[in-house]
Amino acid sequence: MAGTVGSVLNGISGPADLRRLSAEDLSLLATEIRDFLVRQVSRTGGHLGPNLGAVELTLALHRVFDSPAEPILFDTGHQSYVHKIVTGRRDRFDSLRQTGGLSGYPSRVESEHDWIENSHASTALSYADGLAKAFDVRGDRRPVVAVVGDGALTGGMCWEALNNIAASDRPIVIVVNDNGRSYSPTIGGLAEHLAGLRLRPGYERVLRNVKGTLGRTPVVGPPLYDALHGLKRGVKDMLAPQGMFEDLGLKYLGPVNGHDRVALEHAFSLARQFGGPVLVHCVTRKGYGYAPAENHVADQMHAVGVIDPETGEQLKRSPGRSWTRIFEDEIVRLGEERDDIVAVTAAMLDPVGFGSFGARFPRRTFDVGIAEQHALTSAAGMAAAGLHPVVALYATFLNRAFDQLLMDVALHKAGVTIVLDRSGITGEDGASHNGMWDLAMLGIVPGLHLAAPRDEPTLRRALREAVAIEDRPSVVRYPKTALGSDVPAVRVVGDVDVLGEPDESGVDILLVSVGAMAQDVLTAARGVNEAGYRVRVVDALWVTPISPALIELAADAEVVITVEDGIVVNGVGARLAQRLGEAGSSVPTRNFGVPVEFLDHGKVADVKARIGLTPQGIARRTVEFAAGIIGRSDVGSEGVTGEHPLTARADQQQE
């Protein structure tokens, strides 16, 4: 790999610079961009494969369309790195996905070239439809471009948008970046249609022959004409399923070699001149130009951590065990014990830990594509027929299927288990990927049972208990961070584990830990003990519904504090406080969690420190709250005023 920015790339500060380059310089620029991407992403981690495959496509778009006046929208947003490079953000790539640095997705804060901040798939076409409508209302006919790739067309929202776009005459250019993959190979009927185009190079030749035959046929009346026209259409549909798009009313161009810049520019220019909705089908290869990515069987290095840029080998591995791998192991065990358990995933078979289950039980594994809504309702149907579906999603993507969970699963009392990977704060992928909404959102679903395991034994136990529930939905959630040491209970009260007890009789503060926060809460409790308070730490595996044992334990304390990695409004703590009030308890409560705001991307530890969810932050806020309520003589005036030495130590550690 080269050690410095290439000679051509160094002269690119905006899209206008691309239009002045010769063909030779543009070819060199594509090579330099790939070199730059590998070197930069290998240091910070990020989405490598999709961007390596979109180099020529992005260069061609910016040479044909006048961004930012003519919006270029990327769906999914993780394929926008090349766009960022050529729109003036190259010098910030050292900070990619780091605290205070460059986002891994389009970001309106970063550049006027980013009209939207989409990082959930299948949204760009709706954005494009809205922008085009707004321009039209103002008498403006400027084109809007939506680059749809990595399986986004498997999402139903795309088809809702296409239905509207095709019915208009607005100049929307839909660029299908077809690499045949999302995280893993894209599946479903649409994928098969696009594969049909890619894999039938003789299509144009056959069509020319059919056209010639029809042209030489004598006109003998409408019946023969209709039959011949039907034959033409039938052959066309058999060989090239672009008829699917044309039936919607979309002009279709392609397939185009997505790594042939000249061919791409020609197709984009034709689409731009057409002045109405056009779909340009571009065939690319994920990871193109970087051998380790091209040869990476699982996902063409879709997303990587810190790697060796020469070999592609991962250099820094997450410490400790992985929550996902523990789930993967346990779900296979359950699948061997019960033949009614089936796996459902939304285009993320390996990332959510269903790879081994899929290999062991292929007929019981269903990848529905980027279609979380369909996944939930399909699972409800399977449950109605006697199966027990386990739907595994990243927690942030459950937001997209809440109505289906509420009305199609819960209302029908369907025995569906939902496993939420990457719950809580996920960090580098930013606001859209933090799985911080689930605890609050799921609390309003009637009958739902929600487990938040704190370690490996409780994760395995939660899964087994969840799939045993057949008359209502169950959810098991766990974070992205490494799975730490097991946290054993010192005793059990009802269905609540007591993780720590004061050395003396009586309890001043009941610290209620939720899920994987247990280790941090125990560390915080030691600091609070040092401040002179008697602390009991408890953990309920099933946090919804609220355990009656928690209500009993709260009666023994003077202050109750809950700690969770979800938003505080309607979270576990809020529901516990409500239940305490309903039970007639007047014990003061305080809920520590995530504020109701979109959290900027950064390291998980940095994000937690900023919102006070570190052990030091939890301890400091606990002492500050308790000091104003508990009038114990041995706490002292410093504790009452909130200026206890513990506060100072915590502040110093955060700094």
Side-chain angles (χ1 to χ4, degrees):
M1 296 293 167
T4 59
V5 175
S7 58
V8 181
L9 180 56
N10 197 44
I12 305 299
S13 60
D17 296 325
L18 299 175
R19 302 180 194 116
R20 295 193 287 266
L21 297 179
S22 66
E24 182 180 357
D25 282 344
L26 285 164
S27 295
L28 181 57
L29 176 62
T31 300
E32 291 177 354
I33 287 176
R34 285 193 169 90
D35 181 15
F36 179 81
L37 281 170
V38 171
R39 285 187 289 106
Q40 293 298 327
V41 178
S42 68
R43 297 170 184 166
T44 62
H47 290 94
L48 184 58
N51 289 287
L52 291 170
V55 175
E56 289 84 5
L57 185 149
T58 306
L59 294 178
L61 283 172
H62 276 293
R63 279 172 54 83
V64 172
F65 296 94
D66 183 21
S67 176
E70 298 174 351
I72 301 175
L73 317 177
F74 287 87
D75 186 352
T76 58
H78 62 230
Q79 61 179 323
S80 64
Y81 289 11
V82 184
H83 165 77
K84 287 174 180 272
I85 290 170
V86 301
T87 54
R89 287 169 273 182
R90 183 191 71 238
D91 293 341
R92 297 188 61 198
F93 259 77
D94 282 339
S95 67
L96 180 68
R97 303 170 75 243
Q98 308 302 302
T99 303
L102 202 66
S103 170
Y105 297 96
S107 171
R108 293 178 298 168
V109 174
E110 291 178 3
S111 173
E112 62 180 349
H113 293 276
D114 294 358
W115 281 75
I116 57 176
E117 301 186 14
N118 63 317
S119 49
H120 285 192
S122 310
T123 62
L125 292 181
S126 295
Y127 279 120
D129 179 59
L131 284 169
K133 285 173 177 173
F135 295 151
D136 193 32
V137 166
R138 296 174 178 172
D140 190 341
R141 294 285 296 178
R142 74 176 90 172
V144 179
V145 181
V147 184
V148 184
D150 265 16
L153 275 178
T154 61
M157 192 172 170
C158 275
W159 295 92
E160 295 175 22
L162 282 171
N163 187 51
N164 280 266
I165 291 169
S168 76
D169 64 349
R170 301 181 189 95
I172 298 176
V173 178
I174 302 162
V175 177
V176 176
N177 179 15
D178 176 17
N179 57 26
R181 308 183 74 90
S182 46
Y183 282 83
S184 47
T186 303
I187 56 88
L190 174 65
E192 293 176 6
H193 280 308
L194 295 179
L197 292 179
R198 292 195 300 272
L199 300 177
R200 290 184 172 91
Y203 158 70
E204 291 294 344
R205 174 178 52 78
V206 174
L207 273 193
R208 281 196 300 271
N209 291 341
V210 172
K211 182 178 180 181
T213 301
L214 290 173
R216 293 191 300 272
T217 301
V219 179
V220 293
L224 178 59
Y225 172 82
D226 290 343
L228 292 173
H229 185 74
L231 172 64
K232 174 183 176 182
R233 182 59 180 272
V235 171
K236 182 178 180 181
D237 287 348
M238 177 182 69
L239 292 172
Q242 78 254 34
M244 171 177 55
F245 298 110
E246 291 179 342
D247 286 345
L248 282 172
L250 289 169
K251 192 70 176 177
Y252 175 95
L253 293 175
V256 181
N257 181 350
H259 302 297
D260 184 338
R261 182 192 50 78
V262 175
L264 288 166
E265 288 186 25
H266 178 67
F268 294 156
S269 296
L270 289 175
R272 191 178 191 280
Q273 294 165 13
F274 181 68
V278 182
L279 186 143
V280 184
H281 178 198
C282 306
V283 180
T284 63
R285 290 169 58 190
K286 202 169 185 176
Y288 183 76
Y290 180 50
E294 291 192 51
N295 297 326
H296 189 258
V297 176
D299 62 5
Q300 273 62 60
M301 299 183 76
H302 173 86
V304 299
V306 178
I307 61 172
D308 182 327
E310 300 294 339
T311 65
E313 292 295 320
Q314 186 170 333
L315 297 179
K316 291 184 179 180
R317 299 187 181 275
S318 299
R321 299 160 295 169
S322 162
W323 291 90
T324 307
R325 297 288 78 84
I326 298 301
F327 163 71
E328 183 168 26
D329 177 67
E330 190 65 23
I331 197 63
V332 170
R333 291 187 188 184
L334 289 167
E336 290 171 342
E337 296 170 13
R338 289 177 47 177
D339 61 8
D340 63 328
I341 290 179
V342 294
V344 182
T345 180
M348 300 181 73
L349 187 74
D350 289 306
V352 298
F354 271 147
S356 297
F357 190 96
R360 178 73 176 81
F361 309 108
R363 289 180 56 81
R364 289 158 55 189
T365 303
F366 304 97
D367 185 342
V368 302
I370 302 176
E372 292 85 2
Q373 293 172 302
H374 170 65
L376 265 295
T377 303
S378 176
M382 287 187 255
L387 298 179
H388 191 103
V390 177
V391 184
L393 307 168
Y394 282 5
T396 182
F397 297 131
L398 180 64
N399 302 357
R400 313 189 80 176
F402 178 75
D403 181 67
Q404 287 69 30
L405 170 61
L406 184 67
M407 295 300 173
D408 302 336
V409 178
L411 179 63
H412 289 79
K413 295 181 172 59
V416 175
T417 295
I418 301 166
V419 174
L420 299 181
D421 199 328
R422 288 160 172 76
S423 65
I425 296 167
T426 57
E428 290 89 347
D429 283 328
S432 63
H433 276 57
N434 286 313
M436 56 194 247
W437 318 101
D438 60 312
L439 291 174
M441 182 171 66
L442 295 173
I444 64 171
V445 178
L448 181 141
H449 283 215
L450 169 60
R454 65 179 182 268
D455 55 14
E456 178 179 340
T458 53
L459 171 55
R460 293 184 184 274
R461 174 184 150 200
L463 283 170
R464 289 186 169 273
E465 292 179 0
V467 298
I469 300 173
E470 299 292 354
D471 60 348
R472 65 196 65 199
S474 57
V475 177
V476 178
R477 52 106 68 183
Y478 47 80
K480 174 184 178 181
T481 51
L483 203 162
S485 302
D486 294 344
V487 184
V490 297
R491 65 187 180 99
V492 179
V493 178
D495 55 356
V496 176
D497 291 340
V498 178
L499 307 182
E501 296 268 42
D503 294 331
E504 52 190 297
S505 61
V507 176
D508 297 318
I509 301 170
L510 180 70
L511 270 176
V512 181
S513 172
V514 175
M517 295 300 300
Q519 197 63 257
D520 285 348
V521 173
L522 282 170
T523 302
R526 288 193 288 270
V528 177
N529 275 321
E530 291 176 8
Y533 294 95
R534 298 167 297 178
V535 182
R536 174 178 288 151
V537 179
V538 299
D539 169 71
L541 175 59
W542 291 92
V543 295
T544 299
I546 297 295
S547 167
L550 270 182
I551 306 300
E552 296 175 10
L553 286 163
D556 295 335
E558 296 187 53
V559 170
V560 174
I561 291 175
T562 58
V563 185
E564 57 194 295
D565 57 353
I567 58 174
V568 291
V569 174
N570 197 50
V572 176
R575 296 198 294 276
L576 175 59
Q578 181 180 356
R579 284 291 310 280
L580 286 169
E582 292 170 351
S585 172
S586 59
V587 60
T589 63
R590 177 62 61 89
N591 311 322
F592 297 161
V594 180
V596 183
E597 63 183 65
F598 293 110
L599 303 177
D600 291 336
H601 64 273
K603 298 294 184 185
V604 172
D606 293 342
V607 177
K608 284 188 172 182
R610 186 176 70 78
I611 63 175
L613 277 186
T614 60
Q616 297 80 21
I618 296 166
R620 174 176 54 81
R621 291 195 289 165
T622 298
V623 169
E624 290 174 349
F625 179 63
I629 297 171
I630 302 174
R632 289 183 52 208
S633 59
D634 56 342
V635 173
S637 60
E638 288 179 326
V640 174
T641 61
E643 297 299 326
H644 195 279
L646 173 64
T647 303
R649 289 199 303 274
D651 289 339
Q652 289 166 6
Q653 290 185 49
Q654 288 191 49
E655 290 172 3

